[in-house]
Amino acid sequence: MVTRHQVLVASNRGPVSYTAGEGGELTAKRGGGGLVSGLSTVKGDAVWVCAALGDGDREAVRRTGGRLDPADTDGQTVRMLDIPPEVFSDAYNGIANSVLWFVHHMLYQTPLEPAFDTEFERQWRSYETYNAAFADALAEDAAEGAVVLVQDYHLTLVPGMLRERRPDLRIGHFSHTPWAPPDYFRMLPDDPDGGVAAEVLRGILGADRAAFLTQRWANAFTECCVKLLGAEVSVGDDGEMVVVHEGRETRIGVHGLGADAAFLRERSRRPDVDERMASLREQIGHDGDGNPRKTIVRVDRTELSKNIVRGLHAYRRLLDDHPEWHERVVHIAFAYPSRQDLAVYRDYTAEVSRVAQEINAAYGTGSWTPVVLHVKDDFARSLAAYRLADVALVNPIRDGMNLVAKEIPVVSDRGCALVLSREAGAFAELAEDAITVNPYDIGATADALHRALSMEADERAERTKRLAAAATALPPTAWFTEQLDALRG
Ligand code: F6P
């Protein structure tokens, strides 16, 4: 008999993933991130529904029937769905990551793409099937009147589908990405009676509440609802916007997910982080006067929207414009593998390495490596770099929030100057104490790096204090409970 739950979370990627060893044994690895720590507060009566992402996950589902062993999940109740691999791949790689992600981050090179043809139409049907699998599982596991929090662009159709199956539920949808402005969003097939653009909007409007990381993304969503669906928008008594469409109301929320200060401060002081700091310090080395070199740190998934390549070009420009920094600064760039099933991500990853090598070949000396690039994911080493950062470089061309911008000021040992793109969601909360840049402007980013490296220690410390306070204003658990309360209220 199925245990029904009062709180349900649904996301493509779950809190745990499995790898199968040669002897068939499964190893569970728990992921990090805001959602994992947010949900840990509601362990008792909550279930997290996610998809099996790879072969290890599918094997775990086969062995457990999809209800994972709590020993693997730190006590959380997790239901993993084994959606047929071809359907999953069409939905995740084809639609979510190659279409919706590209639309919201405005990544298309429009002379040739997108081209919505039969392949897209087939993949879209898989996306519908994949969303329906989640809606079925949630409908099955939800207690009467339960609260369901659906996450992200992978699951835009779930709120509407779930409402059809279970009108008694309180449904929320949260977008962790930016939202595209209407002129860009309507690149999607946009026949109001059946187009994909309308389907996405209607899917999310199936929720009682649709929430975003910043007001800017919330406004873009409501503008799309008005322009593409003819919906009406008003402001409720509590100050939140309300979208009215086909007689239903969907409230619009904004919750700026913050960094988890307690976790980060404790985790970053453990011995494995100290060890990595020692080896990074060796790689960074000392300048001609025997002082440790300054560091410009960036830590990202190798993600097209993170703008790693222009970051490297800006660093090269800094070295050209300010030869006084030669031998005195090192750019520590961690670019961890992401979405490697997609050729465009593989090409981008190769370009990051190529440009880093080019800079080292052009400027490096026997004693100085200007760019230290690491491409193997290592959380302890990321925290070590955070602690050592003199400057944090966060220059995405577009980003829902960017938690790295919030985490580095919390963890850095001596305070860091933050160079921050005006297109990151974090800009809304951190702009005042950051040095802000247009991410396309290499010259301006190089200037910002120079200013950041030159900032006096006192000013840097003061700014870092204020950045850390703003960055931790809404920690993951509060971010999560705020949404639950809003839905229950
Ligand atoms: O920003 C949206 C998001 O889903 C994040 O929550 C996460 O960091 C990222 O994309 C990861 O994507 P993927 O699951 O494809 O690796």
Side-chain angles (χ1 to χ4, degrees):
M1 160 147 161
V2 177
T3 311
R4 301 209 162 205
H5 297 268
Q6 288 296 342
V7 176
L8 299 93
V9 171
S11 64
N12 173 65
R13 186 178 289 279
V16 67
S17 65
Y18 292 85
T19 39
E22 279 179 12
E25 73 288 358
L26 286 179
T27 313
K29 186 166 176 256
R30 233 175 110 64
L35 206 53
V36 176
S37 45
L39 192 66
S40 62
T41 46
V42 283
K43 259 182 199 165
D45 197 18
V47 61
W48 188 330
V49 178
C50 60
L53 305 183
D55 292 343
D57 287 355
R58 289 181 197 287
E59 181 56 24
V61 174
R62 207 186 51 73
R63 290 184 195 176
T64 59
R67 315 253 171 207
L68 302 183
D69 182 349
D72 295 341
T73 62
D74 197 21
Q76 271 175 350
T77 306
V78 178
R79 177 173 179 190
M80 196 175 256
L81 306 178
D82 185 359
I83 294 164
E86 331 67 70
V87 173
F88 174 79
S89 175
D90 282 351
Y92 174 69
N93 289 315
I95 298 297
N97 288 344
S98 300
V99 176
L100 298 179
W101 183 271
F102 271 57
V103 168
H104 289 315
H105 291 84
M106 300 165 68
L107 293 175
Y108 283 120
Q109 308 207 9
T110 51
L112 292 176
E113 51 172 25
F116 296 121
D117 210 337
T118 45
E119 171 73 350
F120 166 79
E121 287 157 19
R122 190 184 58 72
Q123 291 180 336
W124 183 257
R125 286 192 291 278
S126 294
Y127 182 80
E128 291 172 325
T129 306
Y130 157 95
N131 273 255
F134 272 83
D136 288 339
L138 293 164
E140 189 183 13
D141 281 10
E144 181 70 21
V147 176
V148 186
L149 288 166
V150 180
Q151 309 297 313
D152 240 345
Y153 59 103
H154 314 90
L155 302 178
T156 57
L157 308 182
V158 167
M161 290 175 164
L162 186 55
R163 177 160 305 286
E164 275 175 19
R165 289 158 173 75
R166 292 287 306 272
D168 59 298
L169 302 177
R170 305 291 298 163
I171 304 170
H173 184 274
F174 195 92
S175 292
H176 293 261
T177 59
W179 195 273
D183 283 350
Y184 205 91
F185 186 75
R186 65 177 5 150
M187 239 188 236
L188 290 169
D190 67 341
D191 175 352
D193 296 325
V196 161
E199 214 181 312
V200 166
L201 296 173
R202 285 202 182 99
I204 293 181
L205 290 178
D208 295 289
R209 201 159 175 279
F212 298 85
L213 286 164
T214 69
Q215 193 62 48
R216 181 178 174 193
W217 314 139
N219 291 347
F221 174 76
T222 58
E223 283 160 25
C224 286
C225 292
V226 171
K227 295 219 166 119
L228 277 81
L229 298 181
E232 282 175 20
V233 179
S234 58
V235 177
D237 296 342
D238 53 5
E240 283 191 348
M241 288 190 288
V242 181
V243 178
V244 184
H245 180 57
E246 290 173 348
R248 272 206 72 251
E249 290 191 354
T250 302
R251 282 182 295 142
I252 305 297
V254 174
H255 306 274
L257 177 63
D260 188 346
F263 165 75
L264 287 169
R265 291 200 174 113
E266 188 279 324
R267 181 67 189 84
S268 63
R269 264 67 192 172
R270 289 205 206 148
D272 60 342
V273 177
D274 290 334
E275 268 168 39
R276 279 146 179 99
M277 282 177 81
S279 68
L280 275 178
R281 278 200 182 101
E282 237 169 76
Q283 286 183 287
I284 295 162
H286 293 78
D287 64 18
D289 302 324
N291 299 313
R293 293 190 172 104
K294 294 220 174 208
T295 56
I296 298 171
V297 169
R298 76 171 310 135
V299 177
D300 296 291
R301 292 185 296 110
T302 310
E303 163 52 54
L304 312 177
S305 59
K306 301 292 181 186
N307 209 18
I308 304 169
V309 172
R310 279 197 200 81
L312 287 164
H313 288 315
Y315 179 63
R316 175 164 36 200
R317 176 78 182 264
L318 169 82
L319 299 178
D320 282 343
D321 291 355
H322 295 279
E324 69 271 24
W325 287 115
H326 288 203
E327 296 274 359
R328 292 180 53 221
V329 64
V330 171
H331 183 17
I332 299 181
F334 294 169
Y336 297 145
S338 184
R339 303 183 188 168
Q340 292 293 300
D341 286 344
L342 301 180
V344 62
Y345 279 73
R346 294 196 296 274
D347 294 348
Y348 189 73
T349 304
E351 181 65 0
V352 168
S353 293
R354 193 190 66 73
V355 178
Q357 276 165 21
E358 206 175 74
I359 295 173
N360 284 339
Y363 301 85
T365 65
S367 58
W368 174 49
T369 307
V371 182
V372 170
L373 173 70
H374 283 292
V375 296
K376 191 171 173 302
D377 195 352
D378 180 342
F379 185 52
R381 195 184 48 211
S382 300
L383 291 173
Y386 284 9
R387 286 184 60 184
L388 291 169
D390 291 298
V391 174
L393 174 58
V394 179
N395 65 325
I397 53 182
R398 205 167 155 88
D399 208 335
M401 174 56 76
N402 198 298
L403 274 183
V404 172
K406 291 188 162 183
E407 289 169 352
I408 298 186
V410 174
V411 172
S412 81
D413 278 354
R414 298 181 314 278
C416 67
L418 173 63
V419 173
L420 179 64
S421 163
R422 66 187 187 197
E423 304 303 326
F427 177 88
E429 293 159 278
L430 305 183
E432 221 163 285
D433 285 296
I435 300 175
T436 59
V437 291
N438 167 353
Y440 301 95
D441 189 337
I442 307 276
T445 306
D447 281 351
L449 290 174
H450 175 63
R451 276 181 59 205
L453 285 166
S454 313
M455 195 182 282
E456 293 296 337
D458 286 355
E459 183 184 349
R460 201 168 93 163
E462 281 307 310
R463 283 188 188 228
T464 304
K465 235 188 270 165
R466 291 192 295 264
L467 285 169
T472 54
L474 190 62
T477 45
W479 171 83
F480 188 78
T481 43
E482 235 184 48
Q483 293 176 66
L484 279 183
D485 292 346
L487 270 171
R488 284 176 173 143

